[in-house]
Amino acid sequence: MKLGTRKKLSEQLEDLKSKTMEMGALASTAVEKAVESLVKRNVRLAKKVIKEDDKIDDLEFEIENNCMHVIALQQPVAKDLRTIGTCLKIITDLERVGDRAVDIANITIEMAGRAPVKPLVDIPRMAELAVGMLRDSMRAFKEGNSSLAFELGKRDDEVDRLAHQVTRELFSYLVEDPKKISDAVRLMLVASFLERIADHATNIGERVIYMEKGEMVRIN
Amino acid sequence: MKLGTRKKLSEQLEDLKSKTMEMGALASTAVEKAVESLVKRNVRLAKKVIKEDDKIDDLEFEIENNCMHVIALQQPVAKDLRTIGTCLKIITDLERVGDRAVDIANITIEMAGRAPVKPLVDIPRMAELAVGMLRDSMRAFKEGNSSLAFELGKRDDEVDRLAHQVTRELFSYLVEDPKKISDAVRLMLVASFLERIADHATNIGERVIYMEKGEMVRIN
Amino acid sequence: MVKAKTCERLGFWAARVAILISLSITGYMLFYIISKGASIISWDFLTKPPTSGMTAGGIFPAIVGTLLLVTLAIVISLPLGLASAIYLVEYSSKESRFVRLVELAVYSLNGVPSIVFGLFGMAFFVKFLGFGTSLLSASLTLSLMILPTIVATSVEALKSVPDHFREASLALGATKGQTIVRVVLPAAFPGIITGAMLGVGRAAGETAPILFTGAVFYMRGLPTSIFDPVMALPFHLFVLATEHPNISKVEPIQYGTALVLLILVLLISLIAAVIRYRYRRKRKW
Amino acid sequence: MVKSKIKLQTKKLNVWYGNMHVVKDFTLKIPEKKITAVIGPSGCGKSTFLRSLNRMVELVPGARVSGEILLDGENIYDKDVDETEIRLRIGMVFQKPNPFPKSMYENVAYGLKVRGITEEKKLRLLVEESLKKVGLWEEVRDRLNRSALELSGGQQQRLCIARALAVKPEVILMDEPCSSLDPIATAKIEDLLFELKKDYTIVIVTHNLQQAARVSDYTAFMYAGKLIEHGRTEEIFERPKDKITQDYITGRFG
Amino acid sequence: MVKSKIKLQTKKLNVWYGNMHVVKDFTLKIPEKKITAVIGPSGCGKSTFLRSLNRMVELVPGARVSGEILLDGENIYDKDVDETEIRLRIGMVFQKPNPFPKSMYENVAYGLKVRGITEEKKLRLLVEESLKKVGLWEEVRDRLNRSALELSGGQQQRLCIARALAVKPEVILMDEPCSSLDPIATAKIEDLLFELKKDYTIVIVTHNLQQAARVSDYTAFMYAGKLIEHGRTEEIFERPKDKITQDYITGRFG
Amino acid sequence: MKEKIRLKLSGKILTFPPASVSILAVFFIFIFVFSQGLPLFSKISPFNFFFNSTWRPTATPPSFGIVPLFLGSLLVTSLALLISVPLGLLGAIYIAEIANPKIKEQIKLTVEVLSGIPSVVYGFFGLRVLVPLVQKTFGLPTGETALTGGIVLSIMILPTILSLSEEAISSVPVEYKEASLAIGATKWRTIRSVTIPAAASGITAAIILGLGRAFGETIAVMMVTGGAPIIPTSIFSPVRTMTQTIAAEMGEAVFGSTHYNALFALGIVLFTVNLILNLLAIRLIKKKKW
Ligand SMILES: Nc1ncnc2c1ncn2[C@@H]1O[C@H](COP(=O)(O)OP(=O)(O)OP(=O)(O)O)[C@@H](O)[C@H]1O
Ligand SMILES: Nc1ncnc2c1ncn2[C@@H]1O[C@H](COP(=O)(O)OP(=O)(O)OP(=O)(O)O)[C@@H](O)[C@H]1O
Ligand SMILES: [Mg+2]
Ligand SMILES: [Mg+2]
Ligand SMILES: O=P([O-])([O-])[O-]
């Protein structure tokens, strides 16, 4: 929605939603790439992730502004308003997802050039799950599919379980080989980041349900 | 704002602001108490902090709902709308501040009964700074005081500096005494939490400036 | 409260009785004249001149006379009245002194008793302009008499065309003249016609103004020029009823004349009323 | 859904104009000392519904009413109920401000006089009270004997409200009371509504959804003579249950 | 601030009615193929301003205009400019739908006939084109010869817009075109505005702030005859610079 | 372009002269009636004319006192109003406020049509029906009395009063009535306290216009009042009105004679009185407040 080209409410809402979808796609990709950079110890890719986070931030800013435009100019009510409220909330979640991707990428950079603590198995698996949740939460948003949103609760539990497992495992490494302490700590952080990303996806799912039904439901 | 007792827009906005102030006060106190519990190794206090976070979460939910009410029923524009937008954003920051307080309290509990890594000097200092920023950001919000908000940028730099210092220091402990690894890691996390709380205060400051002037300004 | 209800009932009854009396008196009058006059009217009565000192024959010249008077009067006063109205409503500002003067004149003219029109007609048309007691003098007098009616109804009709029609037309780039001809006059047409009909009705029924200006009790044949005097129905009735030497003998003719006059005037008046009503109902602005 | 005391209640109310069925099986509870807004598309029967609440609808030739309307539990359409009595208890304010072409004082005193109050002192007092309630007293105290038609549109409307208040009604019906006013006068009337609902039960018909949202506690959405949805205003505007309501309030209608 | 081509522009425009100074030093640029809304409290001179743009204000006895109004750079108040010519280029739509009491066809054809177009085939074509533009063609094609007064209020207003479009104006002025319409008809007109601005420059006066916010690209806030603030509609509604503007749009006025 | 300007002006130029005709007409009426009437006062004193109580134009010496004629007009007119005002007003209330719409339209149509009945027909009806009726009812030597004239005139002006009052009452905005009803007033109370006061100026105007019509009526009175130029002593006296005098005597008056002048002077009086009444009514009608 460029300034000066007024559109009808429904078109503006469509714009908002598609922008939000775009932001969701960027955030998901950022997480994927960050984890890939970590696994492949690819500093360049990590740097790219960090650079591209600006896009996500800009998009958040733009979407938030547009939401305010629409509220100020169109006086949305009922589902229209809930859609806007949902966008406003989803974008903070997505922005935070983006920040976590950056955090992961930073860790990639910090760990660059050192021997790996251990082969990364569970972390890519967690990442896959978390990104899958994120993608599905955005799909639920796009389609207004509240049953899809509802399932996110269960999937989040799986991610939490994995995160615990990773942490426990790393602690044992920690004690074994103090030299690898700092990298082990870093990987623990990555696990917690991924867990939080899954939380954000769950939040998004809750918002989608609110948008569709008008009620806030806790899904985990 | 109870349901069924309709008020005028200006009254509703006042309600929103005072609820937000209340949430700000709760969040600030939570951080203070969490750090106190950490310093004094007071598990009971830590548990109280964790329990009281529910209040903050409830308040966020309530304020967000009220914001949506006001938008749906009053069609606010200009400064009125910006005030609501600001409330919406501030409360996510405050909620996150509350979560960090809980994180700190959890660490208190985890570290309970073990000898301290080192005497805590810098962390209480950081906490004081961060909470001071938070309080001031909320005062700036209440008073619409954008110059007060503007200063938060500089103060945030100071907190960042301290956080770095704490981390570096703890790393040296880490290498010295592998047994204290896990607690040292935990304290590092606390420092990063406090740093992030200061970031949230800075965000709130930015929001206040937006509310007053209608422009988003980066203040750090 | 009970008292209020009783008051209401009493008041309503009083009103009902009043309207009943009002209508029944006039109703009786019409019934009376129709019942007495109906038997007199025949083809001959309508198409033959009076004979044997008015005691026999018909009223043909009086009918023709009245029609002539009325036609001439309306032909003179309608264009004058309509043009005045157009000037007043469309071409002048409300504050102008001239407009107020014209309005005052129209109102004054409307209040002048018909007998004074008669006096004026006699002094001005008959004597001063030398038209003599003639169809022309009488018609001119009548046309002046009905002029205020026509101006007033035309002004009303024009004013009742809402300004937004004019604005719409002007905003589309039409000139003032185009606006009046294409939009205002068509919209005002029914009102103008009603005014004209009202004028015609009044002209047909009045006696006093033609008393000294053109009406005669009897003439041989029909008028051949506008300078001839004419017979007229109302005057005919008046004379038959009050001044005829042999009143009892002409009584049937009186009723007949009265009925014909009544029918003529009521017909015109009815047409006017019907047009007005239809128009009022149809009008949606 | 409605928790306060019910002041006025319609039960299976139906109104016909001749053969035209205008209000259909309308069952609605109107809580005391709250503002209930009636919204709906043009011609859906809002005014007719409102006018049936104080029996003004009976003035329309050919109007027919069935069902019950309970005012404090008593059916106002009962045979032995006097409609003028009902109209003293249920006041009405109209779309266009319609003060009588009399003095401001006479306007407000009118209803009292109709009620049989003639004592000058008492009248003065009551007139003053009503004018104060609508916040007009300060504006007109010095010219109470001037014609009410000298007032501005917004002032006239407040005078009309004062006139309705003077007879101390319990319920006030308002049929689009602000539609002929400018936004500033409208804001004043809306402020007044907030004051009035401390003492009165108010039913307001409005085309202006924003107004309904701003001022009312409860909202009833009417469509084609039927009550489609009724509930707390917040609910209606944030979570309408019915598809038609949703479409109407989000402007996707028709 | 305004970046598109300027279609119409007032420079130090002043209007008096007799001694009353109604529009004061009004300098405003109206960009091409955009919708510019004029808002402001009642009596501030919005209608007068609008009517000065196509010289309709001259019809008011005692009205006096100074300053310039440039249409594509040419001053429409120049001595040798014919005002009927200007009114063909700057069309107008009024507050109340005001079709002539003629057939729908005649209504739309009117402006063309006034322009001297008489060829039946051409007229038909142009009438159809205008009616299609306002989305009325499908609704009325079978009854073009019926009276325009048979249409509903919203349809009438669209007919009036079609009538204005028929003469192919460049600018369309609208003075509260929806104030007598219900929300549904209003929504249709607003939709139409979005279509029309592809081809026309539109200036709309409205009391309805929400409407101004919804439809306009630029908004001018007028107060006591003066232009207080003018800018992108988003700016005016989110970040008004002037205190009076802020107070007015947030309803804290007066 | 110039042609357009000419076109624009031509409408005004075309319609200006007709607009002046009314002014000229009044002016001429004024000039001619006065020029024929005023010379009277060089022959007899105005005091004599206005206050002498005998009208004997053909006697020797002639006497031109209009008191009996004026009183005759006044009496007949007053009687007419006395009958027609209550009937007309109540009737108007019925039509405007009580009758159901269908009947209302029909009655209004009827009344409007009736108001077109020529006065000579009323006179004729009076002469044929009322005169004998009055004579018989009151046992009078003749039925041609002031009362008969009053009744005939009252019937004649009734439609005027009815329809004008009805219009005044109906044009009271329905909002006023609704406001009153909604406040709990009965319909009758509403009519009394709101509708009639609001319509007062219109109703008064209706009455004044009726008065004017009665005062200026010639033929109808002429046929039923007996025409005796004496000061009436009761409503059963035969009377002669001013209008009637002009109509009856103009035929005999010699052009330019004192008698002729006197009849025109009567015309002046009629003209003036009616002008005043009429302007009064117009002011009242224009005083509408809504
Ligand atoms: N006096 C009447 N006689 C016959 N039908 C009527 C009468 N008054 C209203 N109606 C019809 O009854 C229906 C409902 O009218 P009503 O005035 O109650 O609608 P509304 O919802 O108030 O509309 P609006 O929002 O336009 O005021 C409409 O279709 C209208 O045409
Ligand atoms: N023909 C006129 N003669 C004298 N003054 C007028 C005339 N028309 C309007 N005015 C005055 O000029 C001022 C501006 O009127 P205008 O109609 O332009 O205001 P507006 O902003 O359109 O108001 P609204 O929003 O009520 O339509 C008002 O004070 C009004 O009273
Ligand atoms: Mg209505
Ligand atoms: Mg205006
Ligand atoms: O931003 P977070 O600290 O809530 O992840």
Side-chain angles (χ1 to χ4, degrees), chain B residues 39-76:
Chain B
V39 174
K40 302 202 173 149
R41 315 179 75 77
N42 183 341
V43 175
R44 259 193 44 216
L45 187 58
K47 283 195 174 146
K48 208 175 145 209
V49 169
I50 295 170
K51 224 184 90 198
E52 283 184 350
D53 187 52
D54 286 351
K55 258 198 220 157
I56 297 180
D57 290 352
D58 290 350
L59 214 45
E60 187 204 9
F61 186 71
E62 188 184 337
I63 294 171
E64 192 193 323
N65 256 330
N66 286 359
C67 285
M68 286 297 156
H69 282 334
V70 178
I71 294 174
L73 303 182
Q74 303 279 8
Q75 291 78 43

Side-chain angles (χ1 to χ4, degrees), chain A residues 113-126:
Chain A
R114 285 204 290 271
V117 180
K118 59 155 260 181
L120 293 178
V121 181
D122 285 327
I123 283 186
R125 164 107 193 83
M126 265 183 83

